[in-house]
Each structure stands twice: as structure tokens, then as C-alpha cells.
Amino acid sequence: MGVAGLVVAASVVLSGCSSSTEPEPTSAPTASPTSSATPTPVAPGEVGVSPGGVTTAVGAPAESTEDDYFQACLAARTWMDQQGGDPKTQIEPYLKSVQTAESVGPGTFDERWSDLSPGRQSAVIVAVEAAADALCG
């Protein structure tokens, strides 16, 4: 089997590792304080909130198309570059800006943060973390 065949086989195996087999939360998400320096995973159905009141983690599988992810990552990276400094220190300020914005844009899949499902909110956070690591594509 060639390299391309191994890549295809690996992606088939990995795609079988979907989190869709996890039980759906039966109660409303609960808030857990998280540090702004290192995003901390939260349990399914929970929401991680920084001491500054910014949602920094959502206990739901990320849900976005590749194009949505790329656009959200690029929007976050552009914003971070405009701020200057270490992009990792810009994760929480950027998340705060998109969570409090009245307008919409590619950073939140052209929807207000409050209108996003937990899976879409999780996808935004994943894209922002990738932007801070310069992994947009």
C-alpha cells in the first residue's frame, strides 16, 4: 500500500472515531471557571468561562465546514496580527470581541455568538486556538 493509500486508510479509521456516540447532555450547560492562559477542556455539556467572563471552552464536539473553519481561523489570525504581540495572549480578547459584538462576520460563521449552537461555538474556539498557533491552512 502506498503513502496515499495509508493516508486514506488512516483518515477512514479516524473518521470512525466520531464523538457522535457520546450521550447528549440532559441538562443545560453549566459554567466552569477556566484560565485565560491555557484553554482547558470541559466535560460534555459544560462551558468554560474565564475570570473575565469570556467563554473559552464548550463541552461539545466542534461543528463546522472546512470553509467555515478556514474563514473563522483567518479572521481571528488577522485580528490577532493587528493587535500585535504574542497571538496566544490574544485568544481571550478576541473571543470576548466576537462574543459581545452586535455585528456578525466570518469569525462566527456569519451568526451572532449567542445564536450559535454549542457545537458551532466550540468550532469557533478551535479555530481561534489554531489561529494563535498560525495553523489556519
Side-chain angles (χ1 to χ4, degrees), residues 7-38:
V7 171
V8 170
S11 64
V12 169
V13 170
L14 291 175
S15 68
C17 296
S18 170
S19 58
S20 63
T21 59
E22 293 180 16
E24 291 293 318
T26 56
S27 62
T30 57
S32 299
T34 62
S35 165
S36 62
T38 305

Side-chain angles (χ1 to χ4, degrees), residues 11 15 62-75 106 109 120 123-124 126-127 130 135-137:
S11 64
S15 68
E63 299 172 0
S64 69
T65 65
E66 283 185 39
D67 187 53
D68 283 347
Y69 168 83
F70 174 75
Q71 295 298 324
C73 187
L74 185 60
F109 315 129
R120 302 282 279 168
V124 168
V126 168
L135 299 174
C136 293

